Amino acid sequence: MKQEYSQLRAMVAITKGSLKAIFRSPSSVVFSIAFPLIFILVFGFIGSGGKINVNIAFDEKSDTANPVYLGLKNIPGIKVSPKTGMALQEDLEKGRITALVNIKAAADSAQAPYTIHLTSSEAANPQNVQVLQSILNAVISGINQQQYPAAPTIASISKEVKKIPGRVYRTIDFILPGQLGFSLLSAGVFGVAFLFFNLRQQLVLKRFFATPVQRPYIVLGEALSRVIFQLITAVIIILIGHFVFDFTLVNGWITFAQIMVLSFIALLLFMGFGFIVSSVAKTESTIPPFANLITLPQFLLAGTFFSIDNFPSWLQPISRILPLTHFNNAMRNIAFEGAGLSDCLFELGVLGIWMVVVYAIAFKTFKWE
């Protein structure tokens, strides 16, 4: 008796073949795993402490025999430049040094014993100048409390700070979700676009038509290989972030599983963009420009490196429309705040709306030959 042809078995065979081809492609491994890991490693190392880092220098005429000078030098995060003369002036003009500090003893006994003058450059970060001023005020306030404890004041701050349990929010907790989202977006758009364009150009799809495999199973087989590969990369990225840089997974494996489900949903959406690009591109050289029109705005505006609250008010509504923004928000809520998928219904709803729109366009534009 003749055995009935299995579409499912054929789809699995296509998936296996496509998956082997992906792992044999150096570019797939580099852009899916190595590229986001480089960003994670960089931001993981520079953001592990979260401490201040302000470079200053003392004027050659500055008074150094006073408690303010000693207090400022001993603060962690304050780096004092040893340079003098023209080298110091050049660093100051180019913003390498936040400010030149000059502590002068007051000539009039009726004034405060010392006057502090700051010299800065327009090239210096204004926020660092404000941080330095706040540090100086704190140092002076501390000295005043030690030397004049009975002096009248409108209020005093208790030295004892009551602390409640809480999680430390590290730079990696913000950066890793953005990098994972961009990895999924890039793989979904570029990977699928190049894959199906080449399958058409090399007449592979046409050869498939000569077999009993039905068209939906061909697409599912190829798409499933991309999903498996990208979920593997997601696992690698999350595990390295967690075990090397202490990326927060509030509820452990439960949080990890929810992140994988979220990544799967987002990847399906991003692959829809890839189907569209593969169909509208006339030549292989036109795929990158079309793909970049989709990926670059989201890479820059979807809160990958910093919060979209820092953007101008007119730009924030545009950022909040982008699907990568809602993936990033949902993942950060799940990973750090302990939210579940049921708590991210708004973000999932927006991704769902995008998926309906994107695949409606993909079905209209997709070409088999």
Side-chain angles (χ1 to χ4, degrees):
M1 182 177 178
K2 188 177 180 180
Q3 187 178 5
E4 185 178 354
Y5 189 85
S6 174
Q7 296 290 335
L8 186 61
R9 191 179 302 144
M11 183 190 73
V12 173
I14 293 173
T15 301
K16 288 181 179 179
S18 180
L19 198 56
K20 289 180 181 179
I22 293 173
F23 278 107
R24 290 172 181 171
S25 172
S27 60
S28 298
V29 177
V30 168
F31 284 100
S32 298
I33 301 178
F35 184 73
L37 277 181
I38 290 172
F39 279 98
I40 291 171
L41 290 172
V42 170
F43 283 98
F45 282 122
I46 68 174
S48 57
K51 298 179 181 178
I52 61 170
N53 185 13
V54 178
N55 296 322
I56 66 169
F58 286 100
D59 192 284
E60 294 178 355
K61 299 178 181 179
S62 178
D63 187 314
T64 58
N66 61 81
V68 177
Y69 173 83
L70 296 175
L72 189 59
K73 282 192 68 176
N74 293 328
I75 292 178
I78 295 291
K79 295 183 179 179
V80 181
S81 173
K83 293 183 179 180
T84 58
M86 293 302 298
L88 176 61
Q89 183 68 22
E90 182 181 357
D91 283 355
L92 188 63
E93 291 175 353
K94 293 184 177 180
R96 298 170 185 162
I97 293 176
T98 299
L100 184 67
V101 182
N102 187 4
I103 306 175
K104 290 184 177 180
D108 188 353
S109 60
Q111 296 179 352
Y114 297 95
T115 304
I116 302 175
H117 298 278
L118 298 180
T119 304
S120 187
S121 165
E122 293 181 353
N125 189 338
Q127 293 181 349
N128 287 346
V129 177
Q130 294 175 2
V131 168
L132 178 59
Q133 290 174 326
S134 299
I135 291 173
L136 283 168
N137 287 329
V139 170
I140 293 170
S141 177
I143 295 172
N144 288 339
Q145 288 182 7
Q146 291 177 358
Q147 296 186 359
Y148 311 104
T153 176
I154 192 172
S156 62
I157 303 173
S158 174
K159 294 182 179 179
E160 296 181 0
V161 179
K162 184 179 179 181
K163 293 187 177 181
I164 61 173
R167 292 184 294 273
V168 178
Y169 190 74
R170 303 176 181 85
T171 305
I172 193 68
D173 291 317
F174 187 87
I175 291 297
L176 190 142
Q179 289 303 314
L180 176 59
F182 182 68
S183 174
L184 297 174
L185 175 64
S186 299
V189 178
F190 282 94
V192 171
F194 277 109
L195 172 66
F196 280 91
F197 182 85
N198 289 328
L199 288 178
R200 280 197 300 268
Q201 292 295 106
Q202 297 170 8
L203 303 179
V204 175
L205 288 180
K206 195 169 184 179
R207 293 189 184 98
F208 272 132
F209 298 160
T211 69
V213 187
Q214 297 177 4
R215 292 186 177 186
Y217 288 95
I218 298 173
V219 176
L220 286 174
E222 295 287 353
L224 189 58
S225 66
R226 307 299 309 186
V227 170
I228 294 173
F229 176 74
Q230 280 310 125
L231 290 182
I232 291 173
T233 64
V235 171
I236 295 172
I237 290 172
I238 293 171
L239 292 182
I240 290 178
H242 179 65
F243 289 107
V244 177
F245 298 108
D246 293 327
F247 174 67
T248 303
L249 295 173
V250 176
N251 299 318
W253 290 106
I254 297 176
T255 300
F256 175 78
Q258 291 177 327
I259 288 176
M260 296 309 296
V261 173
L262 178 65
S263 299
F264 174 74
I265 295 172
L267 185 58
L268 290 181
L269 165 60
F270 298 150
M271 289 173 64
F273 287 114
F275 286 123
I276 296 174
V277 173
S278 71
S279 301
V280 298
K282 301 298 183 182
T283 62
E284 190 172 6
S285 61
T286 59
I287 291 179
F290 282 122
N292 284 325
L293 285 175
I294 297 171
T295 58
L296 278 182
Q298 299 193 65
F299 183 54
L300 299 174
L301 303 178
T304 302
F305 292 110
F306 35 78
S307 174
I308 61 175
D309 293 332
N310 297 326
F311 294 155
S313 56
W314 61 268
L315 190 58
Q316 293 183 20
I318 299 175
S319 298
R320 291 191 171 95
I321 294 174
L322 302 175
L324 185 59
T325 299
H326 296 278
F327 170 82
N328 291 340
N329 292 342
M331 183 170 170
R332 286 166 183 147
N333 291 339
I334 292 172
F336 186 79
E337 298 181 9
L341 290 172
S342 59
D343 300 313
C344 302
L345 293 180
F346 175 74
E347 288 79 8
L348 292 175
V350 174
L351 293 178
I353 293 173
W354 269 101
M355 194 175 297
V356 171
V357 173
V358 167
Y359 276 96
I361 299 174
F363 286 137
K364 291 287 186 181
T365 59
F366 188 76
K367 301 174 183 176
W368 289 99
E369 298 182 20

